Each structure stands twice: as C-alpha cells, then as structure tokens.
Amino acid sequence: MTGQELLFAAKLEVGFAEVGKLSADLCNEENIQVLSGEASAILEHAVATFGSPLKALDWLRSPCGALGHRVPLELLRDRKFELVDEELFRIDYGA
C-alpha cells in the first residue's frame, strides 16, 4: 500500500472532507516519497494492526511512548523502518 493509497482508503472510510485535517502533514512531497517507497509494507502492517487506514494514519502521526515519544512517520522519513515495524509487532502481540 503506497502513501497515496493509504490516504485514499482513509478518505473512503470517513469521507474526503474529514481526512484533510488528519492527513495534511502526509500530503507533502517528501512524505509521499517515503510512504510510497520501502515503507509500503510497514503501512500495510499498520493498517492490519489498527484495523483501518484512518486509525493507522492517526498512529503514524502521533508521538509514541515506546519509541521515545517520537512520531512513527518521522522515523519512516528518517528511514528507521525497523523501529516502526518492531513497535507494530509489539502492539500486535500485546507486548
């Protein structure tokens, strides 16, 4: 799932108008490039973990205590894919 596909799925889920405020920071060129590259498997993992594209977007944009209060999207931008994927596995297994 690319970044654009994730945004589109979230738009379908809650309506196009609602997603604008949730995804504004995902729509810049730098983020779309990251989210449509190596991170696509992690995006799919996030959607599977949280059960919807909208919930995955919300998690990707929010500071995560288990990641040192860093924002998963920023870690993806910095190419720290493993950290984000490992945290998703911890969430999956309740660890």
Side-chain angles (χ1 to χ4, degrees), residues 4-69:
Q4 291 172 333
E5 290 168 339
L6 179 66
L7 290 175
F8 184 73
K11 288 175 184 177
L12 289 177
E13 185 175 329
V14 296
F16 284 82
E18 294 296 316
V19 171
K21 55 190 164 208
L22 285 173
S23 62
D25 62 336
L26 289 175
C27 291
N28 70 50
E29 186 176 322
E30 179 184 346
N31 287 340
I32 292 297
Q33 182 179 7
V34 167
L35 294 176
S36 61
E38 292 178 60
S40 62
I42 295 171
L43 293 175
E44 288 179 12
H45 188 174
V47 171
T49 296
F50 294 103
S52 82
L54 184 62
K55 289 177 183 175
L57 279 172
D58 190 42
W59 183 79
L60 286 166
R61 294 177 61 244
S62 302
C64 178
L67 295 172
H69 300 285

Side-chain angles (χ1 to χ4, degrees), residues 1 22-24 30 60 78 82 86 90:
M1 176 175 284
L22 285 173
S23 62
E30 179 184 346
L60 286 166
D78 293 341
E82 246 181 70
E86 287 171 1
R90 282 191 288 273

